[in-house]
Amino acid sequence: MWRAGAGRVGLVPTMGALHAGHISLVERAVRETDAAIASIFVNPTQFGPNEDFAAYPRREAEDLALLETHGCAAAFVPRLAEIYPPGDATRVVPGPIAAPLEGAARPDHFVGVATVVAKLLAIVRPDAAFFGQKDFQQLRVVQTMTRDLRVGADIIGCPIVRDPDGLAMSSRNAYLTPDQRRDAVALSRGLFAARELWERGERDAHVLRDRVRELAGREGVALEYVSVADPLTLAELVAPSETAVITLAARVGKARLIDNVLLGMDVADLR
Ligand code: AMP
């Protein structure tokens, strides 16, 4: 058993095409556990029929080299049949936390996410697993799922890593042309402008949302939603007092991008 004597094991689930955001999770796992394991699996069940499963970037050799450089003890790169064996029919259906936002835009997405994460946790049996704030609702779905199913692994949320101009790093940024890449910076500008209002005391969700729309909704950027919600439940808020999360999704060219800012709390406070 590889696990015997490994001490505390940390898992970083990814879909590969690794960038500095993924590496920040790996570094955290290396620092906080005795053996960091990254998984690379482009999970078909979390993609809709008209989404980018086939086009999703795949760079396994480069990814494995990066993981080794950054101190991963092992990489787990399962074949399809290891995760979905013949006859596989069981799904993990998350509760209301998965209903709004990405759940509304991408039917069954979070069933696919919760199912694959449950399987990865069952196979690797880590003490802790590290997820990015970038996919904020995913982090909350996974934290809720592991709590409800008594999985027993700590689900650690890690801050968003951004390019120097503010764009949140994403494997899907590879779909952007240079012009679209310039347009995409409007998303983080909108979120940061709303955060500034919050820091000056603004608590009206309408005003915060409008500020995001004002800056982010420019030519070349098709906003799908801008939400001001409770970071624990993702229920929409009218006048948040203590904490909130502003999330957005937008299409820029062929890419569907998501981003968020947490207000009044740190992602590390979420368990
Ligand atoms: P993915 O490969 O897109 O499924 O992402 C794997 C993990 O990396 C997820 O927990 C993501 O939230 C996280 N992640 C992706 N992009 C970033 C980023 N820019 N900063 C921090 N974490 C990220």
Side-chain angles (χ1 to χ4, degrees):
M1 269 294 279
W2 65 269
R3 209 176 180 297
R8 262 174 71 80
V9 172
L11 174 66
V12 180
T14 82
M15 299 204 299
L18 302 181
H19 51 65
H22 296 116
I23 297 305
S24 75
L25 306 187
V26 168
E27 284 175 341
R28 184 88 184 263
V30 167
R31 264 201 318 274
E32 296 187 8
T33 66
D34 301 303
I37 301 187
S39 62
I40 302 176
F41 182 65
V42 185
N43 172 40
T45 64
Q46 72 188 69
F47 289 79
N50 300 314
E51 293 184 356
D52 57 343
F53 175 69
Y56 199 84
R58 288 161 170 88
R59 295 200 289 265
E60 194 179 308
E62 280 168 62
D63 288 349
L64 292 175
L66 263 177
L67 292 175
E68 197 172 352
T69 308
H70 287 88
C72 254
F76 177 43
V77 190
R79 287 175 203 287
L80 188 65
E82 277 181 84
I83 303 296
Y84 299 106
D88 168 90
T90 302
R91 293 293 176 268
V92 177
V93 182
I97 188 93
L101 309 172
E102 290 305 285
R106 307 180 68 188
D108 290 340
H109 170 65
F110 285 123
V111 173
V113 168
T115 300
V116 77
V117 172
K119 287 171 183 257
L120 292 170
L121 292 171
I123 295 167
V124 176
R125 289 190 289 125
D127 300 279
F130 298 80
F131 287 80
Q133 180 194 328
K134 163 74 173 31
D135 300 276
F136 186 80
Q137 191 175 13
Q138 167 174 283
L139 170 66
R140 294 297 304 134
V141 165
V142 170
Q143 286 182 324
T144 307
M145 180 270 286
T146 54
R147 186 202 62 197
D148 290 353
L149 297 184
R150 324 301 293 162
V151 170
D154 290 332
I155 305 298
I156 317 261
C158 307
I160 301 176
V161 176
R162 299 178 179 280
D163 278 343
D165 66 358
L167 178 69
M169 289 193 169
S170 164
S171 306
R172 290 191 168 98
N173 293 349
Y175 300 151
L176 300 171
T177 65
D179 279 352
Q180 291 163 354
R181 172 64 188 77
R182 275 190 292 275
D183 292 339
V185 75
L187 300 177
S188 53
R189 288 219 179 109
L191 291 170
F192 296 165
R195 183 172 61 194
E196 255 176 68
L197 285 184
W198 171 277
E199 281 163 1
R200 282 192 256 126
E202 182 59 62
R203 291 294 182 272
D204 184 332
H206 271 295
V207 175
L208 295 170
R209 255 196 315 271
D210 283 352
R211 186 75 182 124
V212 177
R213 289 189 179 281
E214 209 180 314
L215 275 105
R218 63 184 229 183
E219 213 181 326
V221 177
L223 279 173
E224 271 185 23
Y225 64 76
V226 178
S227 153
V228 178
D230 180 319
L232 287 179
T233 64
L234 292 176
E236 285 298 308
L237 297 173
V238 176
S241 51
E242 307 279 300
T243 62
V245 61
I246 309 184
T247 55
L248 61 73
R251 287 199 181 271
V252 183
K254 275 196 277 216
R256 185 173 179 284
L257 304 179
I258 58 174
D259 197 357
N260 67 82
V261 286
L262 256 176
L263 306 175
M265 74 182 300
D266 195 86
V267 69
D269 303 333
L270 289 163
R271 280 294 145 93

